[in-house]
């Protein structure tokens, strides 16, 4: 039986471990051709000309397309439409697409791409957000390099720092991060006889993709059909157009043949979205007893050459800049800036991951200055329900940071930390560090966070869930079947899923923002309850009952409890037309009702009202000879309301922590003049199974009354804590602060040898 | 499309070489295919040599020499009882190389001929004084490995010639003492070495070092040996002071580069620091640690 | 070029360019799409297959090299309609999220348990260290391999006519060295 609250093994696991599951990458339609892109290969230049004739002349080349062949606006972008499908006047980053080739084979495609000559007139580039704001900086766009300046202010703002007896101040830097899903960006597209463009694509937002394509290529959105199977990972990097507009353009020019495009790993690095690098200037003020009183921060976000979700990522980061703490007076300023670096956008943690490093590091600084226990300082200032957060929004929903911190404080990794640290072996030093974080759910104000669930009793008597929101691996579709099975009392053999398909399912938003299970799950609960009522009514007809009472669902049947008579679902399924077997229901996530008089610069997203919380502890060992840091033990305590599937909950926590440890210690994109020097898995270092410890996860269950079965999304919150917790643990071990990530062995070794902080150990290589 | 030949004997290989002088040799393919992908190499044809019996196997020859066929995979080397018994230093280097499938594919001959300063098998082979056997149609020659590799990616391999085997003398007097290897990488698997150290030490019962052979990877254009550092150890007890002096000598000798993995300063510091680990791995007979 | 080899237990002959990558032969020509490609450079393990019983990376092999060899892809793991214990354990233990690394991961686990039926968690981590997973943090994958090993050992222990060599004797020689 599919029961909510129980670790039902994922129903998609079977087809995935046998290799039967067909991802977009596994789609090789009959008679397909290959599509591929010629990229700029320079960070900033004027396009003087594009010579395509030799490529066109090559046997096996079906089409070579440039900006001149793009119908419509040739502009894509989720909020600001500033990104060309194919660059026209200028290229603004190394991976900007200049020409699109369709060819019979991959070999011909590669050959044709190498024959395209792009005549470029190099322009000076700008590769740092703050430098891009200087008056003389090269302009990425004629309108200027500032995409968005935002300000959030509460209480007396910055002035309150003057009232603080203790003020700590520090500057932090966080790097790019690559999503590094194992399935790269890819899809296939073709044009039907009636002109409809069909696309099967690895995307987190098929419904939104349709409008992106429609706008960029001037096509009727209803003449575009986008479907997404399971994704081989997404993490935000497939939220927004990657191959979509290019593929649709290819399908318009392939003579009716399907076109497949699959970025190889290097192209995925060069052209794909990244986590925003940010420089953060923090000042935090407190009273002598440790009560937080004022916060001022200035945050510079490098969004690359196109807006994508830059403004929204910055907004969320700013909204979380004060952490899970009560700070009555805040002034949070942010600049989201165009540069000629790769395009930054959505990634798990969505801006929050970046600021979490800063606010937790200044909390440690403050604890040190006060001589206070860092856990006690956090508990003292932790947000409780009814408090106002750093934006002045009242926490009216479940608010579990203090219970998380208290659970951490009872755990042996915390209580026995001194003993553990003392038992370090030769040439080793040990340290522990904690971090408290939160992460908002949903789109926030300005854009309804809604989903539409459709559930059907099939003619065969099965329950079919039409899912409009993608499963990129996080297991939301399993939760949906679990919810349907719970409400309709069916086991896993009687429920089935229809993947997101703009032709078959209903718009339910993107798979993102920790909203997927929450929003669609709520819609699904309503649809299932309606279906249940419908089935009872139809059963009453069959059994000639006066009214639909005394009925219960049982596996495969509806049972009349007083008489023990049953009507099989298959019979109900065969007896009624589709309209009588289908229920559709919609849900919209609640938003903050006390919108503070600030954050006016954000057209969408500000503020949020639902948050998940977490407290982590990292126990690290540092090797004195090499500076190598090993995370020996790790605990994540997570509050996300009630849990629908404990196994799925742990999967998300483990995965987020794993990515967070990579972000903290090893993932470094090396940039030189806008070029990525390590666009591959050889030199962009992801953690292997030998680099991560046996992670521990504890759930602090609260109830979120608005959540489906009381749950909240926890897919993101777990990635926010590893970097600050590990940085804190390293400081504990070596006695020197680390304020820049990733924390390389070289940096730690320099800290150990007591030299000046080694943030520049990587010289000109890092941005 | 390019031809792929799979000779099953050396005479067949010589025929391939004669007909296709531009053929690239492929042993395990873990390096060649990566280079072909990135267009660093574009051979007109490929000769896979992994089916040639003369290039395979691990055998003990008269005089106790161990012969490792050039096409012995890292996986075979790690699980070979004779290698495990006599050359734990090599086992330690190889068991950290790449990943399990890479070790199942990659060969010791490939690692040598690639001649990367970061090749994981090279420092232990240098420290062990490995000799290599080269064959061509008409002749066979032997030389010390350290004379074979002339620069990053450069060897003395001649046209039409192939590396047939590696020969190792049992390290008499060594294997009751210290055979140490440590690699510093950016992670614990699938890591290219940032710096590595292979150290063979014979330590007398009074704690005095009798013999020392040291070799470093990734700190110079080729694997670095450093007689000055070895001299600092020989005849002295294995103390942190001795090791510090040896480390200073080694740093004098090294010429590391900065690259995407690490910068020069880090490599310089670490290559010396790695020697300090010898205090920890010193056998019972060595004096008590004094750090 | 005609190439004959055994694919998942069946004699197979293909006519293919000798320098075609094995991963392309399997996925595109033979439509055995269970083998995935993640990097094309041997750094992620998504394309892992067994060749003559040993794990290999199909992105770093040329079609011609398969001649006369015995290839097992994820489609050949398990027996008619029955999952391999490793696959079962992956499902139960929650070792699968996006699943794109799973086929390669399963192959590596099968390879490991073939060499070492009784690995500790450290050996399991070592055995899987060539397979990148971006979703799981590996913990549940290690759990799954541990579970599968336990079950496979229990199953071979109770076989009444199991020969001595099939029996698992902890600490017996030939089970690989532990560190």
């Amino acid at each position: 039986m599919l029961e909510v609250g129980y670790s039902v093994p994922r129903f998609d696991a079977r087809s995935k471990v046998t290799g039967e599951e067909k991802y977009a990458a596994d789609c090789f339609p009959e008679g397909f051709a290959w599509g591929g892109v010629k990229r700029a290969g320079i960070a900033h230049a004027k396009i003087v000309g594009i010579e395509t004739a030799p490529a066109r002349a090559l046997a096996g080349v079906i089409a070579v397309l440039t900006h001149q062949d793009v119908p419509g606006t040739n502009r894509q972008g989720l909020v600001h439409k500033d990104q060309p499908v194919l660059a026209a006047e200028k290229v603004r980053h190394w991976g900007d697409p200049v020409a699109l080739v369709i060819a019979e084979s991959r070999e011909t495609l590669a050959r044709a791409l190498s024959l395209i000559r792009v005549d470029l007139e190099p322009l000076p580039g700008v590769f740092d957000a703050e430098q891009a704001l200087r008056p003389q900086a090269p302009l990425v766009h004629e309108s200027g390099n500032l995409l968005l300046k935002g300000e959030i202010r509460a209480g007396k703002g910055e002035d309150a720092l003057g009232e603080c007896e203790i003020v700590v101040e520090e500057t932090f830097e966080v790097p790019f991060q690559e999503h590094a899903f194992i399935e790269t960006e890819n899809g296939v597209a073709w044009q039907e006889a009636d002109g409809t463009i069909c696309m099967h694509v690895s995307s987190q937002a098929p419904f939104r993709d349709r409008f992106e394509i429609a706008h960029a290529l001037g096509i009727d959105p209803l003449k575009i059909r986008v479907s997404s199977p399971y994704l081989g990972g997404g993490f935000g990097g497939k939220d927004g157009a990657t191959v979509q507009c290019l593929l649709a353009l290819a399908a318009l020019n392939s003579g009716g043949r399907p076109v497949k495009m699959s970025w190889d790993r290097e192209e995925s690095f060069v052209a794909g979205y990244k986590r925003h690098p940010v420089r953060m200037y923090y000042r935090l003020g407190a009273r002598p007893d440790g009560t937080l009183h004022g916060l001022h921060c200035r945050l510079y976000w490098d969004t690359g050459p196109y807006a994508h979700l830059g403004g929204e990522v910055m907004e969320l980061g700013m909204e979380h800049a004060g952490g899970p703490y009560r700070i009555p007076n805040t002034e949070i300023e942010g600049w989201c800036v165009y540069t000629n670096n790769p395009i930054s956008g959505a990634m798990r943690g969505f801006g929050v991951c970046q600021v979490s490093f800063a606010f937790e590091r200044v909390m440690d600084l403050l604890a040190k200055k006060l001589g206070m226990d860092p856990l006690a300082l956090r508990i003292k200032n932790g947000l409780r329900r009814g408090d106002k957060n750093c934006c002045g929004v009242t926490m009216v929903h479940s608010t579990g940071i203090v219970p998380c911190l208290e659970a951490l404080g009872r755990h042996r990794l915390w209580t026995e930390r001194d003993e553990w640290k003392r038992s370090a072996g030769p040439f080793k030093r040990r340290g522990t560090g904690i971090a408290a974080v939160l992460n908002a759910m949903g789109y926030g104000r300005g854009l309804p966070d809604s989903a539409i669930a459709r559930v059907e009793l099939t003619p065969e008597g099965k329950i079919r869930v039409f899912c409009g929101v993608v499963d990129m691996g996080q297991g939301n579709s399993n939760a949906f079947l679990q919810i349907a099975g719970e409400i309709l009392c069916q086991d896993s053999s009687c429920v089935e899923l229809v993947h997101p398909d703009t032709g078959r399912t209903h718009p339910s938003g993107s798979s993102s923002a920790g909203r997927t299970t929450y929003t669609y799950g709520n819609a699904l609960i309503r649809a299932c309850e309606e279906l249940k009522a419908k089935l009872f009514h139809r059963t009453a007809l069959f059994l000639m009952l006066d009214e639909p009472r005394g009925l219960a669902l049982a596996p495969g049947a509806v049972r009349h409890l007083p008489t023990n008579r049953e009507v099989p679902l298959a019979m109900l399924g065969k007896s009624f037309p589709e309209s009588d077997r289908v229920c559709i229901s919609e849900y919209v996530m609640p938003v903050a009702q006390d919108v503070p008089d600030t954050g006016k610069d954000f057209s969408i997203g500000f503020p949020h009202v639902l948050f998940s919380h977490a407290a982590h502890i990292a126990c690290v060992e540092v090797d004195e000879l090499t500076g190598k840091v090993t995370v020996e033990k790790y605990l994540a305590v997570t509050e996300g309301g009630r849990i629908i599937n404990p196994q799925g909950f742990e999967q998300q926590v483990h995965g987020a922590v794993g990515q967070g440890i990579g972000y903290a210690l090893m993932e470094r994109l090396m940039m030189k003049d806008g070029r990525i020097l390590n666009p591959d898995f050889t030199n962009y270092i992801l953690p292997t199974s030998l680099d991560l410890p046996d992670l521990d996860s504890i759930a602090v269950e609260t109830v979120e009354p608005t959540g489906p079965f009381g749950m909240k999304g926890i897919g993101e919150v777990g990635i926010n804590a590893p970097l600050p917790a590990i940085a804190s643990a390293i400081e504990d071990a070596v006695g020197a602060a680390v304020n820049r990530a990733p924390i390389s062995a070289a940096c730690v070794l320099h800290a150990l040898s007591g030299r000046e902080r080694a943030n520049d150990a990587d010289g000109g290589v890092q941005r | 499309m390019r031809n792929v030949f799979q000779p099953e004997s050396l005479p067949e290989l010589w025929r391939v070489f004669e007909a296709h002088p531009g053929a690239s040799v492929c042993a395990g393919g873990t390096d060649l295919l990566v280079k072909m992908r990135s267009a660093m190499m574009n051979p007109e044809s490929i000769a896979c040599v992994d089916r040639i019996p003369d290039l395979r196997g691990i055998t003990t020859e008269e005089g106790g020499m161990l012969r490792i066929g050039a096409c012995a995979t890292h996986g075979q080397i790690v699980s070979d009882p004779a290698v495990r018994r006599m050359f734990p230093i090599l086992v330690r280097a190889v068991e950290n190389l790449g990943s399990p499938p890479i070790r199942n594919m990659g060969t010791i001959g490939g690692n040598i001929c690639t001649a990367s300063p970061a090749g994981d098998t090279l420092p232990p082979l240098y420290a062990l004084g490995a000799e290599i056997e080269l064959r061509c149609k008409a002749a066979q020659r032997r030389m010390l490995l350290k004379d074979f590799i002339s620069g990053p990616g450069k060897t003395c391999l001649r046209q039409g010639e192939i590396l047939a085997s590696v020969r190792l003398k049992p390290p008499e007097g060594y294997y009751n003492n210290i055979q140490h290897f440590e690699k510093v990488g950016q992670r614990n698997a699938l890591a290219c070495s940032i710096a590595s150290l292979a150290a063979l030490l014979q330590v007398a019962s009074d704690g005095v070092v009798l013999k020392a052979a040291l070799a470093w990877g990734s700190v110079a254009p080729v694997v670095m040996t450093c007689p000055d550092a070895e001299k600092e150890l020989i005849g002295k007890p294995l103390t942190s002071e001795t090791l510090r002096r040896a480390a200073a000598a080694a740093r004098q000798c090294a010429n590391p580069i900065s690259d995407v993995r690490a910068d020069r300063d880090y490599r310089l510091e670490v290559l010396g620091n790695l020697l300090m680990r010898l205090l920890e791995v010193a056998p019972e007979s060595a004096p008590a640690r004094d750090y | 070029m005609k190439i004959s080899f055994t694919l998942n237990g069946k004699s197979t002959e293909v006519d293919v360019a000798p320098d075609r990558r094995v991963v392309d032969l399997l996925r595109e020509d033979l439509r055995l799409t269970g083998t995935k490609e993640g990097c094309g450079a041997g750094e992620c393990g998504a394309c892992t297959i067994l060749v003559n019983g040993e794990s290999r990376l199909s992105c770093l092999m040329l079609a011609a090299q398969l001649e006369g060899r015995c290839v097992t892809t994820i489609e050949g793991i398990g027996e008619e309609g029955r999952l391999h214990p490793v696959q079962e354990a992956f499902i139960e233990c929650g070792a699968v999220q996006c699943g794109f690394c799973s086929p390669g991961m399963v192959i590596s686990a099968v390879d490991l348990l073939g060499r070492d039926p009784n690995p500790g968690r450290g050996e399991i981590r070592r055995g899987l260290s060539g397979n990148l997973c971006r979703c799981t943090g590996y913990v549940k994958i290690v759990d799954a391999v541990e579970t599968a090993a336990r079950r496979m050992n229990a199953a071979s222990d109770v076989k009444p006519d199991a020969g001595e060599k099939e029996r698992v004797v902890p600490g017996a020689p030939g089970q690989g060295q532990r560190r």
Side-chain angles (χ1 to χ4, degrees), chain B residues 2 6 51 84 95 104, chain C residues 19 55 64-65 67 126 177:
Chain B
R2 46 174 89 74
Q6 302 199 78
R51 295 177 195 234
R84 295 194 76 89
E95 70 188 0
N104 286 341
Chain C
D19 65 340
S55 64
Q65 292 178 291
E67 178 63 42
R126 207 172 172 74
Q177 294 282 325

Side-chain angles (χ1 to χ4, degrees), chain C residues 2-35:
Chain C
K2 286 216 163 46
I3 295 162
S4 301
F5 62 107
T6 305
L7 177 57
N8 296 330
K10 293 195 188 93
S11 312
T12 304
E13 192 180 80
V14 292
D15 193 359
V16 64
D19 65 340
R20 189 148 171 82
R21 298 185 312 160
V22 169
V23 66
D24 298 330
L25 169 70
L26 293 171
R27 286 177 49 78
E28 291 176 33
D29 305 346
L30 301 172
R31 298 291 154 95
L32 292 174
T33 54
T35 301

Side-chain angles (χ1 to χ4, degrees), chain B residues 29-101:
Chain B
T30 55
D31 194 63
L32 177 66
L33 268 74
V34 173
K35 285 183 174 151
M36 280 163 54
R37 171 187 165 82
S38 61
M40 278 168 68
M41 287 182 78
N42 187 17
E44 51 100 359
S45 56
I46 294 168
C48 299
V49 293
D50 58 327
R51 295 177 195 234
I52 301 173
D54 287 349
L55 305 182
R56 304 178 47 148
I58 301 173
T59 47
T60 311
E61 305 193 322
E62 69 266 26
M65 282 288 262
L66 190 80
R67 177 191 189 273
I68 304 177
C71 284
T73 64
H74 304 302
Q76 287 160 355
I77 291 168
V78 166
S79 55
D80 184 83
V83 177
R84 295 194 76 89
R85 192 175 64 249
M86 290 189 280
F87 307 108
I89 189 171
L90 182 59
V91 171
R92 263 176 228 132
V94 172
E95 70 188 0
N96 264 321
L97 184 153
S99 68

